[in-house]
Amino acid sequence: MYEICPHTGSSDRSSISQVEKFHITLNMEKEEKKFVNKAEEDEMEIYGYDLCYWKLVLVTVGVICSGGFLLLLLYWMPMWRVKATCKRTMLKDCEVVLLRTTDEFKIWFCAKVFIMPSLGANPLQNPNPIIHKVSNGHSVHFCETSAEENKNDLKKYLPIRYFTHHSVKYFWNDSAQSFDVVRGLDESTFCSSIHNEHSAGLTKAMYDYRKIFYGVNEIAVKVPSIFKLLIKEVLNPFYIFQLFSVILWIIDEYHYYALAIVIMSVISIVSSLYTVRKQYVMLHDMVAAHSIVRVSVCRGNQEIEEILSTDLVPGDIMLIPSNGTIMPCDAVLLSGTCIVNESMLTGESVPVTKINLPNPSEDPEAMGDEIYSPEAHKRHTLFCGTNVIQTRFYTGELVKALVVRTGFSTAKGQLVRSILYPKPTDFKLYRDASLFLLSLVVVAGIGFLYTVVNSILKEVPARTIIIESLDIITITVPPALPAAMTAGIVYAQKRLKKIGIFCISPQRINICGQLNLVCFDKTGTLTEDGLDLWGIQRVESACFLLPEERACSESLLKSEFVACMATCHSLTKIEGVLSGHPLDLKMFEAIGWILEEATEEETALHNQIMPTVVRPSKQPFPESKQATNQEMELFELSTSYEIGIVRQFPFSSVLQRMCVIARVLGEKRMDAYMKGAPEVIASLCKQETVPVDFESVLEEYTKQGFRVIALAHRKLESKLTWHKVQTINRDAIESNMDFMGLIIMQNKLKQETPAVLEDLHKANIRTVMVTGDNMLTAISVARDCGMILPQDKVIIAEALPPKDGQAARINWHYADTLAKCTSSSPAINSEDIPVKLVHESLEDLQMTKYHFAMNGKSFAVILEHFQDLVPKLVLHGTVFARMAPDQKTQLVEALQNVDYYVGMCGDGANDCGALKRAHGGISLSELEASVASPFTSRTPSISCVPKLIREGRAALITSFCVFKFMALYSIIQYISVTLLYSILSNLGDFQFLFIDLAIILVIVFTMSLNPAWKELVARRPPSGLISGPLLCSVLSQIIICFAFQILGFFWVKQQSWYERWTIKSDACHLLDATNTSSMVHYKNETLDDEHNIKNYENTTLFFISSFQYLIVAIVFSKGKPFRQPCYKNFLFVVSVIVLYVFIFFIMLHPVESIDTFLELVCVPYEWRLRILIIVIVNAIVSVLVELIFLVFRQGCWCFSCQW
């Protein structure tokens, strides 16, 4: 697979003519675009580059000349960094690779290529024979070196090029002319070769060779040092901008404000470091628990060697200890049986039985050899991180498993990678926020140019021009904006935690405010977890008998029906307690039998796997159960009625059935029992044993919402010995069965389900059911819980794949007449399907009287053959039954593709993929699988869904309010400073300090405290800032604030007492003897007023702008219908009142010490009253204009309910 071209030496390169170089460059530019992880979720484009020394010199000069800014720019931009220091080259010879994701985000990464000397190119093939000559029986230790160094030392080895990205190594694949992930035994390995070629174990030489490629078997979540995290945090563009601002303010002698910003930044950085490091530590602890254990492996010479799990490589044969272990890798079971808890991966704590992988070459009746896949053969695969509880084995033939994947390639490793390197959240609010910031930068640029031109015309010193023009930029883009934007999310996260909803991705809270569709799993989510046995309906002579409530009657004790209920399950005893799937537990408890498992000592004594034995509880325990030979003669020694389970074929969600081979004590012939989905079981039975009215009886039960399980039985041939049974293929057993009847289980709705779904429907939030259960059962539950209204019609889309030369087609049936329809006679003409008659906009969905339902097979066919129908079907599809885990994820993606904001609520079992993919995934399981879901509810109830959406809406509206307020704050201050620059003045240091700390920070962090509104309303908050109403609201307030500041600025100059303020100015007429000392004090303080802070314009604009900050805070603080009214936000109300009173007080009743501190000048009382009038009129106009926009935007909403 991996063939490596010899590395070209530098001396050879120098001999290439200029013409040849030109052709190489031309070919390189025309080189076909290369990809890594082609057609996978993390697909990336890849480009090759070589270091260019003359470019490196130029960049070094640029870095020095720019004072290091160019270096920062290149640090932030990987693409620029590579292109600025390297030249494009062929991918096979490159020293650096440039990667770009192919998704909508187009994110760039770069990685250095290393060369690893190796004696072979493919880890799964035998290395070059020279391995024996070089190693001389000893393991060879190889070193790594960068691509541009020590090239001459590599001639005797094959130079293997590789790079590492997101914890995965990519090796050069010469046949594909691109880099590729080195695979384990999970791809392109046939089941027969696993037994025939890989079951002997690795030799020491082969092990050492593979270790070079696969490295250490660990899922390393390294907790970065505080210093490293600090550097990474400090080099964030936001903090670099803050550093620039602080340096500028210190140069301009704004020391106090600069110190305040530094303190704020330090607190923010420390808080961020603490949070990030805490998350790393939590993930490290979760992954590190039991990740390094001692394991026993079989070597090629049949020796058993004990090694650390970190030294395992694909191909090792691992011995599973009898007392269980935590799996350190993904491995396929070669011999024996294991009982495993897979809650770490699936969220389902029910123990799962794993059986050994059948060997197709030993089974003449096998369907044929197939390629091994961990997903397709998961009932034979032990996954990394899962807990092996018990093993069953022969003495002399231990439980062995072949290691197929290690490290980050394992199922657990892929889960951890998805947490370490999450896909960016695409949300319109964040995109619009970036655009809004860019517009502020444009405004800052205009102010910058105005300041420079105005200062030059007025012959201001160059130093002052530079400082003031740069200062206008720091004013326009507020440093506290990121902290202010996250305040609402932090408060919402705390409120969610109080109600038992935990969040590991706080940014998702805002997105949850936009959810307009929620997918629900059925069992354990909409319905109760447990099942109750409603009754049984047996079949005799191909006819249904009357339903029976109890299955434990004396007459049925020795019937084949009860024998099937007693044996056909995957129950096991763990520490003396019966454990297994809830359905199996209920079924077994209903008959009142006892299950006994052989002890380890018994298994060792009889040199074979002793069967699990079940027996009725009302008979005495047998005195002896000893075996006399390997043909299970132990059953003949007891007269008590017992059944031994000889072989078990576990339940498969793909096959929708399970099967066991059992033997009644004292009988020679064995029996096969099967249970599963009724349609599947009936298809595997002899047709003469299936009742004619099977479909109508089944439909009647499923319509009522019952969970129906069918049972079947077959008497096996006497020639089938115990040994043959252990190797027989399940397809040979699961055919020509006798249909025995139905078990009817009742799955009750959770008490809160109908009310929650009704609340969501009232809020115009669409609900969809995604389940692995039967179609008609799911439709019945959907009707019972109100997801489908009684008068609504349900149309089932039955998609059939191409067969016998016929194209794929879709048959449409009404759910009420499903059983009466045949595939050749569709119930509805395809031209009349409602999907073509109903308006396709999301807003009109609730008006439709039709719902589509389909199963997983139909969904897969539609995805493959009817792509154009997918958007229409998912727009009106309500029930998706028999859906596999990956199909649930595909459905979520399909819904997102038609512009839905999708929520997913599941109990964690088989929902992990969909929970991760959805905009808002809510796990009702607190198990480790919940780490894949952004939200986890402590209580397993869907009542958490409307609570989360309400908090999301509140957080989203808070983000809008804060962003609008911070934008107005920067523009108001920008206007004030620009007007003062026109007279070569500015705001004072303590004026800035008062505005930014006492007003802005207090308002921002209190206006975000409004809790969510008590109920969901039928409207959703806007999703972005770039929308007509929001822009009009912001622009109108900017114009109003600008107008009133301009009014105050020019009106003060029209006053009779106005003159250019100097130290001796006395507009208040207070020059009498009592104030002499005061005037002397003022004079001493203002002698060195170099910045011309004290003047009438400054004082006027300070008072007007201070009130404007409070006015827009109130105007933008929306309450109902998404948040509680502002008057219920106690801290916000108190803060606003205190600030209003304080500013009114110092304006109408000046205090000398405060005026001196804030560098305000004395103005006549009449002018103070006129400022008050300006402020009152400003407030009235601002409120009225905002109300007008609200009327246009909301129509029927009352003015008073917005605040």
Side-chain angles (χ1 to χ4, degrees):
M1 175 181 166
Y2 294 91
E3 298 174 7
I4 310 300
C5 291
H7 184 67
T8 306
S10 57
S11 59
D12 297 329
R13 286 186 178 180
S14 61
S15 63
I16 296 175
S17 67
Q18 293 297 320
V19 175
E20 288 173 325
K21 284 184 178 180
F22 173 76
H23 284 301
I24 288 173
T25 306
L26 195 63
N27 291 335
M28 178 266 298
E29 289 175 353
K30 291 182 178 179
E31 185 183 14
E32 184 184 352
K33 189 179 287 186
K34 302 294 183 183
F35 296 89
V36 292
N37 306 324
K38 183 71 174 175
E40 295 180 22
E41 184 183 355
D42 52 350
E43 180 185 81
M44 293 179 290
E45 297 172 11
I46 183 168
Y47 306 93
Y49 285 86
D50 268 345
L51 199 62
C52 181
Y53 293 102
W54 67 265
K55 283 187 175 183
L56 200 59
V57 171
L58 285 179
V59 168
T60 305
V61 172
V63 168
I64 295 170
C65 294
S66 63
F69 180 72
L70 179 60
L71 190 64
L72 281 172
L73 202 60
L74 296 180
Y75 170 78
W76 296 328
M77 303 286 188
M79 180 186 66
W80 292 8
R81 180 165 74 249
V82 171
K83 291 189 174 183
T85 57
C86 302
K87 60 183 178 182
R88 185 79 184 274
T89 188
M90 301 290 286
L91 199 57
K92 65 178 182 179
D93 299 320
C94 65
E95 298 171 355
V96 176
V97 291
L98 190 60
L99 304 161
R100 186 178 75 163
T101 60
T102 56
D103 56 18
E104 65 272 25
F105 300 103
K106 309 292 182 189
I107 301 173
W108 290 91
F109 302 95
C110 66
K112 190 171 184 180
V113 176
F114 292 90
I115 292 177
M116 178 182 71
S118 172
L119 297 169
N122 188 345
L124 299 182
Q125 294 177 357
N126 287 326
N128 196 307
I130 63 170
I131 187 170
H132 304 295
K133 299 177 184 177
V134 175
S135 62
N136 293 322
H138 301 284
S139 52
V140 183
H141 298 281
F142 298 99
C143 60
E144 295 180 0
T145 177
S146 59
E148 68 269 22
E149 295 173 2
N150 301 328
K151 293 178 180 177
N152 293 328
D153 296 334
L154 305 178
K155 291 182 179 178
K156 57 185 177 182
Y157 299 116
L158 285 175
I160 310 293
R161 291 177 168 271
Y162 76 95
F163 68 90
T164 304
H165 174 68
H166 284 178
S167 302
V168 174
K169 282 186 178 180
Y170 295 82
F171 290 84
W172 176 252
N173 183 345
D174 201 54
S175 60
Q177 285 294 296
S178 185
F179 285 90
D180 197 4
V181 179
V182 62
R183 308 288 178 179
L185 296 173
D186 56 316
E187 291 188 16
S188 307
T189 307
F190 284 93
C191 293
S192 58
S193 72
I194 284 180
H195 282 279
N196 301 335
E197 299 173 18
H198 299 284
S199 59
L202 299 175
T203 63
K204 188 73 173 94
M206 192 65 185
Y207 166 78
D208 290 332
Y209 170 62
R210 286 193 182 179
K211 192 77 185 328
I212 299 169
F213 286 89
Y214 293 107
V216 179
N217 172 36
E218 64 175 348
I219 303 170
V221 180
K222 295 178 181 176
V223 180
S225 65
I226 294 176
F227 178 76
K228 189 174 180 180
L229 284 174
L230 178 64
I231 295 299
K232 189 176 180 181
E233 187 75 15
V234 167
L235 291 182
N236 184 294
F238 165 68
Y239 289 117
I240 295 298
F241 176 72
Q242 278 198 335
L243 179 63
F244 163 76
S245 303
V246 167
I247 293 171
L248 185 67
W249 292 327
I250 290 173
I251 293 172
D252 204 19
E253 297 178 6
Y254 290 163
H255 301 293
Y256 296 103
Y257 185 54
L259 180 63
I261 291 296
V262 167
I263 293 171
M264 281 173 50
S265 299
V266 168
I267 293 172
S268 176
I269 290 171
V270 169
S271 173
S272 178
L273 288 181
Y274 173 77
T275 304
V276 171
R277 187 172 169 81
K278 183 181 176 183
Q279 289 175 346
Y280 269 111
V281 169
M282 285 176 62
L283 186 59
H284 175 270
D285 291 346
M286 185 197 83
V287 173
H290 312 293
S291 63
I292 301 178
V293 293
R294 297 201 71 85
V295 295
S296 297
V297 295
C298 291
R299 290 287 170 231
N301 53 7
Q302 298 302 313
E303 287 183 6
I304 294 178
E305 180 184 350
E306 191 172 279
I307 61 173
L308 286 175
S309 58
T310 50
D311 293 326
L312 288 170
V313 298
D316 271 331
I317 299 297
M318 177 181 170
L319 303 182
I320 311 297
S322 58
N323 58 347
T325 184
I326 302 290
M327 285 302 296
C329 58
D330 287 353
V332 59
L333 204 55
L334 298 179
S335 61
T337 305
C338 293
I339 298 168
V340 185
N341 185 333
E342 293 188 326
S343 61
M344 197 304 235
L345 293 178
T346 65
E348 182 64 76
S349 59
V350 175
V352 179
T353 301
K354 302 283 185 174
I355 60 174
N356 61 296
L357 181 74
N359 187 351
S361 60
E362 292 182 2
D363 186 2
E365 299 182 23
M367 296 295 291
D369 205 356
E370 57 181 337
I371 293 176
Y372 167 75
S373 165
E375 285 304 314
H377 298 89
K378 61 183 177 183
R379 64 182 181 275
H380 313 295
T381 305
L382 304 172
F383 292 103
C384 178
T386 58
N387 184 10
V388 179
I389 304 169
Q390 288 179 0
T391 62
R392 296 176 185 172
F393 57 94
Y394 310 103
T395 300
E397 188 176 346
L398 301 175
V399 180
K400 296 179 181 179
L402 172 68
V403 177
V404 292
R405 295 187 300 200
T406 57
F408 278 100
S409 298
T410 62
K412 182 179 179 181
Q414 291 168 9
L415 175 63
V416 173
R417 279 187 69 222
S418 69
I419 299 168
L420 281 174
Y421 313 106
K423 194 174 181 179
T425 304
D426 183 29
F427 192 39
K428 197 168 185 293
L429 171 66
Y430 304 132
R431 297 199 306 270
D432 290 354
S434 302
L435 291 174
F436 212 97
L437 280 175
L438 282 177
S439 66
L440 288 179
V441 171
V442 171
V443 172
I446 296 170
F448 177 86
L449 293 175
Y450 167 78
T451 305
V452 171
V453 172
N454 181 65
S455 300
I456 290 173
L457 291 176
K458 297 192 176 182
E459 300 179 353
V460 175
R463 180 181 180 276
T464 306
I465 294 175
I466 294 171
I467 291 173
E468 291 187 346
S469 57
L470 292 175
D471 193 33
I472 201 78
I473 296 175
T474 66
I475 289 169
T476 314
V477 184
L481 181 61
M485 286 288 286
T486 57
I489 296 174
V490 171
Y491 294 145
Q493 189 176 7
K494 287 183 178 178
R495 289 194 295 267
L496 285 172
K497 191 174 181 180
K498 285 182 180 177
I499 57 177
I501 301 174
F502 299 94
C503 174
I504 63 171
S505 180
Q507 296 300 326
R508 294 288 185 103
I509 297 175
N510 268 348
I511 302 178
C512 287
Q514 279 294 307
L515 295 183
N516 54 359
L517 182 146
V518 182
C519 297
F520 291 97
D521 181 35
K522 183 179 78 69
T523 308
T525 303
L526 297 174
T527 60
E528 296 287 353
D529 235 337
L531 291 163
D532 296 320
L533 183 70
W534 181 84
I536 61 173
Q537 190 159 10
R538 294 183 296 125
V539 169
E540 286 186 6
S541 304
C543 293
F544 277 113
L545 303 179
L546 292 174
E548 300 168 75
E549 188 176 341
R550 299 174 68 231
C552 56
S553 60
E554 295 257 352
S555 59
L556 296 176
L557 184 65
K558 294 191 177 183
S559 67
E560 290 169 343
F561 193 95
V562 170
C564 185
M565 293 178 69
T567 58
C568 198
H569 53 70
S570 57
L571 300 178
T572 186
K573 279 194 171 180
I574 299 174
E575 296 179 357
V577 179
L578 205 60
S579 301
H581 194 280
L583 186 147
D584 290 344
L585 277 170
K586 283 287 181 184
M587 185 179 72
F588 192 75
E589 289 169 358
I591 57 174
W593 282 40
I594 294 172
L595 181 141
E596 297 287 344
E597 288 183 323
T599 63
E600 190 176 328
E601 291 76 16
E602 286 175 322
T603 301
L605 177 66
H606 300 295
N607 195 26
Q608 60 189 22
I609 293 183
M610 293 291 288
T612 296
V613 175
V614 292
R615 58 184 176 82
S617 59
K618 294 182 180 178
Q619 63 183 22
F621 189 86
E623 294 180 10
S624 174
K625 291 202 304 180
Q626 294 184 351
T628 58
N629 57 43
Q630 293 184 348
E631 293 298 318
M632 308 289 286
E633 294 296 327
L634 67 105
F635 293 112
E636 297 179 0
L637 299 180
S638 174
T639 55
S640 14
Y641 183 66
E642 291 185 349
I643 305 175
I645 302 171
V646 180
R647 175 100 189 263
Q648 182 187 91
F649 299 101
F651 176 79
S652 165
S653 57
V654 177
L655 300 175
Q656 298 180 15
R657 63 182 183 271
M658 79 164 291
C659 179
V660 295
I661 298 173
R663 190 175 186 179
V664 177
L665 220 65
E667 293 193 10
K668 288 285 186 183
R669 294 173 68 180
M670 299 185 194
D671 299 271
Y673 297 103
M674 182 169 63
K675 83 170 193 296
E679 311 95 313
V680 175
I681 300 299
S683 68
L684 296 171
C685 291
K686 290 181 280 191
Q687 287 305 302
E688 61 268 22
T689 65
V690 180
V692 179
D693 57 346
F694 164 74
E695 288 183 343
S696 60
V697 171
L698 175 63
E699 182 182 3
E700 193 61 35
Y701 282 125
T702 52
K703 273 185 183 177
Q704 297 175 52
F706 291 115
R707 177 93 176 262
V708 183
I709 305 295
L711 305 184
H713 164 261
R714 173 184 164 192
K715 203 77 175 171
L716 298 179
E717 299 81 3
S718 56
K719 65 178 182 180
L720 273 177
T721 64
W722 185 86
H723 273 304
K724 286 182 180 178
V725 164
Q726 298 306 315
T727 57
I728 196 169
N729 188 281
R730 74 183 293 172
D731 292 331
I733 298 294
E734 296 173 339
S735 60
N736 294 318
M737 309 283 281
D738 295 330
F739 192 81
M740 290 199 302
L742 303 172
I743 298 176
I744 301 98
M745 313 289 284
Q746 193 172 21
N747 192 202
K748 296 177 182 177
L749 279 176
K750 287 184 178 178
Q751 188 175 356
E752 66 277 1
T753 295
V756 170
L757 295 183
E758 186 181 2
D759 288 344
L760 294 175
H761 290 158
K762 285 180 180 177
N764 281 346
I765 296 172
R766 190 178 150 206
T767 55
V768 170
M769 185 188 296
V770 191
T771 178
D773 208 344
N774 174 277
M775 170 79 75
L776 293 180
T777 302
I779 293 172
S780 171
V781 172
R783 287 195 182 277
D784 290 345
C785 67
M787 197 175 281
I788 298 173
L789 298 177
Q791 67 271 20
D792 291 355
K793 289 187 177 294
V794 178
I795 296 173
I796 294 177
E798 181 189 0
L800 303 174
K803 189 178 181 182
D804 300 330
Q806 293 185 346
R809 68 183 190 276
I810 303 178
N811 295 332
W812 310 91
H813 311 282
Y814 285 115
D816 297 338
T817 58
L818 176 65
K820 301 173 187 177
C821 300
T822 63
S823 59
S824 60
S825 174
I828 307 171
N829 190 309
S830 22
E831 294 300 321
D832 299 330
I833 56 173
V835 74
K836 297 189 177 183
L837 305 178
V838 181
H839 195 276
E840 292 174 17
S841 74
L842 300 185
E843 303 300 328
D844 294 337
L845 275 176
Q846 66 272 16
M847 303 302 293
T848 182
K849 300 295 180 185
Y850 294 91
H851 301 264
F852 285 103
M854 68 192 76
N855 60 24
K857 290 181 180 177
S858 296
F859 183 70
V861 172
I862 291 168
L863 276 181
E864 185 176 355
H865 299 285
F866 301 94
Q867 281 282 342
D868 57 325
L869 269 183
V870 172
K872 297 178 181 180
L873 286 173
V874 297
L875 276 172
H876 302 280
T878 302
V879 174
F880 296 85
R882 298 291 189 212
M883 296 286 277
D886 59 327
Q887 290 176 329
K888 292 183 180 184
T889 307
Q890 291 168 351
L891 175 63
V892 170
E893 290 175 347
L895 289 165
Q896 290 172 333
N897 289 338
V898 290
D899 295 332
Y900 273 112
Y901 284 95
V902 182
M904 173 70 196
C905 184
D907 60 358
N910 300 324
D911 297 321
C912 290
L915 288 168
K916 280 164 56 180
R917 177 67 66 194
H919 290 108
I922 313 161
S923 171
L924 302 186
S925 164
E926 286 192 80
L927 298 170
E928 287 179 302
S930 64
V931 79
S933 176
F935 302 95
T936 302
S937 175
R938 182 187 295 159
T939 54
S941 163
I942 66 168
S943 58
C944 64
V945 174
K947 292 176 183 176
L948 176 61
I949 296 175
R950 286 193 294 108
E951 288 295 348
R953 289 182 172 186
L956 185 56
I957 286 298
T958 298
S959 294
F960 282 127
C961 293
V962 169
F963 197 93
K964 288 163 67 177
F965 173 71
M966 292 300 288
L968 260 295
Y969 145 65
S970 62
I971 293 297
I972 290 169
Q973 198 168 80
Y974 170 81
I975 294 169
S976 301
V977 171
T978 305
L979 289 173
L980 291 174
Y981 275 4
S982 67
I983 59 169
L984 302 181
S985 181
N986 199 355
L987 291 173
D989 193 3
F990 289 103
Q991 289 176 345
F992 276 121
L993 202 64
F994 175 76
I995 291 169
D996 290 322
L997 297 185
I999 298 180
I1000 303 304
L1001 285 186
V1002 170
I1003 292 299
V1004 160
F1005 289 111
T1006 55
M1007 77 186 300
S1008 303
L1009 286 169
N1010 288 40
W1013 185 243
K1014 55 190 175 183
E1015 61 187 26
L1016 283 174
V1017 295
R1019 294 172 49 242
R1020 284 187 301 138
S1023 60
L1025 289 165
I1026 312 299
S1027 63
L1030 283 171
L1031 284 178
C1032 289
S1033 171
V1034 172
L1035 290 174
S1036 63
Q1037 295 301 326
I1038 289 174
I1039 293 169
I1040 292 168
C1041 292
F1042 177 73
F1044 281 99
Q1045 283 203 48
I1046 288 284
L1047 175 63
F1049 183 76
F1050 286 106
W1051 196 8
V1052 71
K1053 295 183 178 182
Q1054 306 302 317
Q1055 302 306 306
S1056 57
W1057 46 265
Y1058 176 82
E1059 63 178 4
R1060 185 172 179 181
W1061 193 88
T1062 63
I1063 299 169
K1064 297 179 180 180
S1065 296
D1066 180 22
C1068 296
H1069 306 292
L1070 296 177
L1071 287 178
D1072 55 23
T1074 59
N1075 290 315
T1076 303
S1077 61
S1078 173
M1079 289 305 298
V1080 171
H1081 173 75
Y1082 270 94
K1083 182 175 179 179
N1084 292 336
E1085 288 289 324
T1086 57
L1087 280 175
D1088 54 352
D1089 186 15
E1090 298 176 5
H1091 299 287
N1092 188 26
I1093 302 300
K1094 289 192 172 185
N1095 52 63
Y1096 300 121
E1097 292 91 339
N1098 173 289
T1099 301
T1100 300
L1101 289 181
F1102 172 77
F1103 283 127
I1104 293 175
S1105 64
S1106 296
F1107 281 111
Q1108 284 180 338
Y1109 299 127
L1110 298 176
I1111 291 167
V1112 295
I1114 295 172
V1115 166
F1116 288 153
S1117 292
K1118 300 295 185 301
K1120 189 178 174 183
F1122 304 118
R1123 302 196 305 169
Q1124 293 284 356
C1126 283
Y1127 60 78
K1128 290 190 176 181
N1129 185 347
F1130 176 76
L1131 287 176
F1132 177 73
V1133 172
V1134 169
S1135 301
V1136 170
I1137 291 174
V1138 168
L1139 286 168
Y1140 262 124
V1141 169
F1142 178 76
I1143 300 171
F1144 271 128
F1145 176 75
I1146 63 173
M1147 185 179 76
L1148 298 178
H1149 191 279
V1151 178
E1152 181 183 318
S1153 57
I1154 295 175
D1155 284 355
T1156 303
F1157 180 78
L1158 293 175
E1159 298 182 79
L1160 301 174
V1161 300
C1162 186
V1163 294
Y1165 194 75
E1166 293 80 4
W1167 179 242
R1168 295 177 188 272
L1169 292 176
R1170 287 175 185 173
I1171 293 176
L1172 179 60
I1173 293 169
I1174 291 173
V1175 168
I1176 292 172
V1177 175
N1178 186 349
I1180 293 170
V1181 172
S1182 292
V1183 171
L1184 287 176
V1185 169
E1186 186 69 11
L1187 283 173
I1188 290 169
F1189 281 117
L1190 287 173
V1191 170
F1192 281 121
R1193 192 163 66 225
Q1194 300 162 12
C1196 63
W1197 292 98
C1198 177
F1199 293 169
S1200 60
C1201 73
Q1202 303 301 324
W1203 283 272

